[in-house]
Amino acid sequence: MTLMAVERIKLVTTRAPWLCAILALGLTVGLAAVYAMQADHEVAISGSQLGIPFGLIVVMVLATLSVTTEYRTGTIRTTFQAAPSRVKVLGAKAATVAIIAGVIGEVYSFASFGAGQLLARDGAAPLSTAGDWRQVAGAGLIYAAGAILAVAVGILIRHTAGALALLLVYTLMAENLIQVIPNVGMDIHPWMPFHVGQKFLSTDGPGVGFFPTDDITLSPWASLAYFAAFAVVLLAIALGVAKKRDA
Amino acid sequence: MIEAVGLTKRYGSVLAVDDLSFTVRPGHVTGFLGPNGAGKSTTMRMILGLDNPTRGQVLIDGKRYAELREPLRSVGALLEASWVHPNRSARNHLLWMAKSNRIPTRRVDEVLEQVGLTSVQNKRAGGFSLGMSQRLGIAGALLGDPGILLFDEPVNGLDPEGILWIRQFMQRLAAEGRTVLVSSHLLSEMAQTAEELVVVGKGKLIAQTSTSAFIDQASESTVRVRSPRLDALRQLLLGKGHPVDYVDGTLLVRAATTEHIGDLAAANGIPLHELTTQRGSLEQAFMQLTGDAVEFHTHLDSAAEQAPELTAQGANR
């Protein structure tokens, strides 16, 4: 708990996390508001949650920076001096960042939903089914898992530019480009972690939503578990590497 | 107390620290002396558990660093003053450090006061001058009121006032019974700060001794003489078997005391205008001892080493 409090202090006493949080706010709630105001039809749940995947990327940038700035500035060494157990201290960092990311995801997804309700001219779909609730309330869980994954990448790569380039290129391009690989591409794509994670936040039924997840056979909750497991395994690898490596 | 036993660190094909064993005792400032690249910083990082030794170990009061509970209360260290987040305030930097080892917030105010940063505690650390950063680093080291303190090249780049402040500060910490290890590549600096020395070159231990013994052993003293009858005096001294150099209108006599030369001159009626003992240059002595232990030789270095010899040879004829 002490170490998590330390990580919280570190996060809130620098500017970058706040800037990321504000940017994510614009991309999620801001986008939802603009969409709702322009829509000439009833705004579906998926419509109000349109910006959530973009917010996720910004939150992952926040999570990555929480590690890589420590390596860049050298405070990681002060951190390891203060708490020599690297598994504990980096684990506490991952947990803290995950909780903050989860809160951001939860607040922004409900705020996005609220924006849809308030601003849509032709009304917006209410939260009626369990699937509707999952789509909105699930954002926090995906954000938390995504943050753990980003922390792991930050620990492994250590350089801000490298870690961010890898994460952005991977999430924005690589997973989709996999599909163009002849023969196997279409078989691999349903198992790409971010793509699978997206299923958890998608509307039930085929072909609905902005990010089609029809090719995924896993159930929404199994999709979340798959994405989270991927993040946790990557974190475990990162912690193992950090333990052995010179700081 | 810090004990290094057979400490070895290899980076690829480079042996940065080679079977280094030494002990640092409480109550003194111990200088960790060696040319740049001798492995001082690597050794300090291994003491703090930041780098893993390839072989050997280093113990702090009998424990490895990783075994220390709330280590900031046992060991304070300033390795690099730049290890702060530039956009975090000095106070917040110390706050998270304090929090991590359950050190009361009151201590943060105390150490800020102690290093004289109270008035700028809420300013971002990135805007600090080198001297202020150095003070912030020292504040961090003192936070847990530790019995052992490590400073890596703390006076590098500081102005004379800053150097004096740090020097006195370290001596006061040692006088309080703490173990203080300070690294430097400047013997002249260590001569004024440290009582004990651990001297390394190319990762190997060259000497562990008191500073005065090291200087005595390392530098021979010469006597400088000026006289209107210099030539007569030179013949006399050569007759007595003293090696004599003639430099810029003065005689430099090696292996002799001022008493001896003064008496000799008086007995022979030679007036003296100057008679002073000169300590051999500490830096020269240091270079002699660490001689081929310097990692990167430059042509400039070898030219500088040869120059005094040339003058001396010319003068002997």
Side-chain angles (χ1 to χ4, degrees), chain B residues 51-70:
Chain B
D51 285 10
N52 302 311
T54 310
R55 272 195 310 280
Q57 61 174 356
V58 55
L59 296 179
I60 290 151
D61 292 333
K63 286 183 188 162
R64 290 189 306 117
Y65 190 87
E67 295 165 355
L68 297 173
R69 276 184 58 81
E70 301 182 345

Side-chain angles (χ1 to χ4, degrees), chain A residues 164-176:
Chain A
L164 288 183
L166 177 70
L167 273 174
L168 295 180
V169 167
Y170 179 80
T171 53
L172 296 176
M173 292 173 67
E175 284 205 350
N176 285 321

Side-chain angles (χ1 to χ4, degrees), chain A:
Chain A
M1 283 316 278
T2 308
L3 290 177
M4 286 179 68
V6 171
E7 294 303 326
R8 198 196 65 235
I9 297 176
K10 280 193 216 163
L11 274 174
V12 301
T13 52
T14 54
R15 264 185 316 201
W18 294 104
L19 293 176
C20 287
I22 291 167
L23 182 59
L25 178 72
L27 285 173
T28 54
V29 184
L31 209 56
V34 171
Y35 179 82
M37 283 189 289
Q38 297 302 320
D40 50 6
H41 51 78
E42 185 188 60
V43 172
I45 302 276
S46 59
S48 75
Q49 302 296 304
L50 169 71
I52 291 298
F54 303 116
L56 171 63
I57 288 171
V58 178
V59 166
M60 285 172 58
V61 169
L62 181 161
T64 309
L65 289 176
S66 78
V67 180
T68 54
T69 48
E70 285 226 49
Y71 277 101
R72 178 172 56 80
T73 59
T75 51
I76 194 74
R77 299 189 185 92
T78 318
T79 300
F80 290 158
Q81 245 171 272
S85 168
R86 297 184 190 178
V87 171
K88 272 190 200 162
V89 74
L90 292 173
K93 185 186 277 293
T96 309
V97 174
I99 289 171
I100 290 176
V103 171
I104 290 177
E106 228 39 39
V107 171
Y108 288 3
S109 60
F110 275 100
S112 298
F113 173 77
Q117 297 291 318
L118 288 173
L119 300 171
R121 280 173 300 175
D122 295 331
L127 288 171
S128 43
T129 67
D132 294 342
W133 279 96
R134 190 196 68 237
Q135 267 190 83
V136 179
L141 295 173
I142 290 290
Y143 275 35
I148 290 173
L149 193 150
V151 166
V153 170
I155 294 171
L156 287 169
I157 310 259
R158 289 186 282 186
H159 299 284
T160 302
L164 288 183
L166 177 70
L167 273 174
L168 295 180
V169 167
Y170 179 80
T171 53
L172 296 176
M173 292 173 67
E175 284 205 350
N176 285 321
L177 287 176
I178 289 279
Q179 294 177 89
V180 305
I181 300 175
N183 301 324
V184 291
M186 297 305 277
D187 296 329
I188 302 174
H189 187 243
W191 297 99
M192 300 314 287
F194 283 88
H195 181 54
V196 173
Q198 196 53 53
K199 168 113 179 201
F200 184 64
L201 299 180
S202 299
T203 316
D204 292 331
V208 191
F210 294 87
F211 302 92
T213 50
D214 299 347
D215 57 345
I216 298 166
T217 48
L218 294 171
S219 74
W221 285 96
S223 299
L224 171 71
Y226 181 83
F227 182 56
F230 182 80
V232 169
V233 167
L234 204 60
L235 180 67
I237 294 170
L239 294 184
V241 169
K243 196 176 172 181
K244 288 217 186 90
R245 206 162 44 186
D246 289 337

